[in-house]
Amino acid sequence: MPSPADTPAEPGLTTPPLFAALAPARNVLIAGAGGGFDVYAGLPLALALWRGGVQVHLANLSFSELVLLDQQSWVAENVAAVTPDSTSTDWYFPERTLARWLAAQDLPSTVYAFPPLGVERLRAAYRHLLDRLDIDAVVLVDGGTDILLRGDESNLGTPVEDITSLAAVAGLDVAVKLVTCLGFGIDAHDGVNHVQVLENLAALDREGGYLGALSIPGASREARLYRDAVAAAAAATPERPSIVHGQIAAATSGAFGDVQFTRRTSGSTLFVNPLMAMYFTVDLDKLAARCLYLDRIENTWGRRQVIGRIAAFRDEISTRIPQAYPH
């Protein structure tokens, strides 16, 4: 008879489905799906899991010039292990910035990085890392929600890296595969209609693929440390602080409305609000099954192939009519 510790938690009001799904896992990989600072969206979740005794590893699809790393940093083809001591002349290096912050908190401080690739090579890179770390659960994290779009929406935001990551992980044999998004509403800047995001979540719910929404309490240890990490990242990259995480961090502190924190958003009207501080989580395989063009990018080798095939797909379809939020 299994002990209570070996029995998966049943989701409910007292056990959020995100944590119920991860309860059986012992080695979790939390990976930024969309590049840049996306891995920071997984930091509150990682902090909560570490506190619960779970082994957590962080990874990110990187926009940095990883070719500038020395040969010893590469643990497998297209998989770099970025540490606080990694040397690179690239001024934009979110993975190393995060690694240094983690080390300052006495937390596991290696952040694995993948270069932008097509699906085949990114999947192979993930497979190397999963085997190396004995991973039994993967959580793709997105800063924003455009990874939840299926392809026929009025605008897809910036889908290339997100959907490449989704397709790559969908083809892997892992016990638990999830996607979670932090920063609802942020992709409006890129033309995403969030009524269509909600419509997609409802459809996933009908199919048993929606694991609900979970707020990050502003006074929690996870929120406090997340805000500190975002502030450290902004200080390390003053010319290009994360617009996404600046807004999410502000939302976790109770800020509301047009909260300006960088010159990068001057001329734009922001709408920071509590929805940005909530994780929206879905079953990765069920999300992948709903993507209308995932098969188009399956056999891609490089990023440009992915871009071309998404564009060709969009040229062939009629898109859903965007709706205004009615309340």
Side-chain angles (χ1 to χ4, degrees), residues 7 88 92 120 124 233 244:
T7 304
S88 172
Y92 181 79
E120 284 193 16
V244 169

Side-chain angles (χ1 to χ4, degrees), residues 4-318:
D6 296 327
T7 304
E10 182 178 346
L13 286 176
T14 58
T15 306
L18 167 58
F19 286 93
L22 292 173
R26 292 297 173 263
N27 278 302
V28 178
L29 179 67
I30 298 177
F37 286 94
D38 253 15
V39 65
Y40 278 73
L43 188 55
L45 176 60
L47 290 165
L49 292 172
W50 275 322
R51 196 173 192 178
V54 180
Q55 187 85 3
V56 179
H57 307 272
L58 298 174
N60 199 42
L61 187 63
S62 181
F63 289 158
S64 302
E65 294 291 339
L66 297 179
V67 294
L68 298 175
L69 290 169
D70 57 43
Q71 193 60 40
Q72 287 69 37
S73 297
W74 296 91
V75 298
E77 186 176 9
N78 294 316
V79 184
V82 179
T83 70
D85 299 323
S86 292
T87 57
S88 172
T89 56
D90 192 353
W91 66 273
Y92 181 79
F93 204 173
E95 294 81 15
R96 186 178 62 187
T97 300
L98 179 56
R100 289 176 173 176
W101 181 86
L102 290 166
Q105 312 303 317
D106 293 323
L107 291 166
S109 58
T110 297
V111 181
Y112 295 93
F114 311 114
L117 303 165
V119 172
E120 284 193 16
R121 288 197 293 166
L122 184 58
R123 182 178 294 147
Y126 263 103
R127 188 174 287 115
H128 282 303
L129 189 56
L130 266 56
D131 290 345
R132 176 185 179 88
L133 301 176
D134 194 25
I135 297 296
D136 54 7
V138 176
V139 184
L140 285 184
V141 291
D142 183 22
T145 56
D146 53 359
I147 196 172
L148 301 176
L149 304 180
R150 69 177 196 168
D152 63 349
E153 292 81 6
S154 55
N155 193 303
L156 298 186
T158 55
V160 176
E161 286 76 25
D162 288 330
I163 300 303
T164 300
S165 297
L166 177 65
V169 177
L172 296 172
D173 184 14
V174 188
V176 178
K177 291 183 282 185
L178 304 175
V179 171
T180 195
C181 302
L182 190 62
F184 185 91
I186 283 174
D187 297 314
H189 173 76
D190 293 309
V192 170
N193 179 265
H194 286 80
V195 172
Q196 293 178 330
V197 174
L198 294 172
E199 184 180 6
N200 291 354
L201 287 172
L204 281 161
D205 199 11
R206 292 193 296 273
E207 297 169 5
Y210 178 44
L211 280 69
L214 178 65
S215 291
I216 301 170
S220 66
R221 174 178 177 271
E222 291 82 3
R224 293 196 308 272
L225 288 173
Y226 167 73
R227 289 192 293 267
D228 187 73
V230 171
T237 318
E239 296 303 313
R240 197 177 169 188
S242 173
I243 294 173
V244 169
H245 289 287
Q247 292 179 81
I248 298 169
T252 68
S253 65
F256 184 82
D258 190 14
V259 180
Q260 297 288 333
F261 53 88
T262 171
R263 289 175 296 175
R264 294 185 67 200
T265 61
S266 61
S268 300
T269 302
L270 305 181
F271 183 52
V272 172
N273 66 86
L275 292 176
M276 290 181 175
M278 297 173 68
Y279 278 121
F280 290 81
T281 305
V282 301
D283 178 276
L284 187 147
D285 286 335
K286 285 183 166 54
L287 177 65
R290 286 185 50 79
C291 182
L292 299 173
Y293 61 92
L294 212 66
D295 59 329
R296 302 285 191 98
I297 67 171
E298 177 61 28
N299 298 311
T300 50
W301 191 250
R303 183 177 182 273
R304 289 190 178 184
Q305 282 180 298
V306 177
I307 294 171
R309 295 188 188 185
I310 294 175
F313 165 78
R314 293 283 287 179
D315 286 341
E316 296 171 12
I317 65 165
S318 297

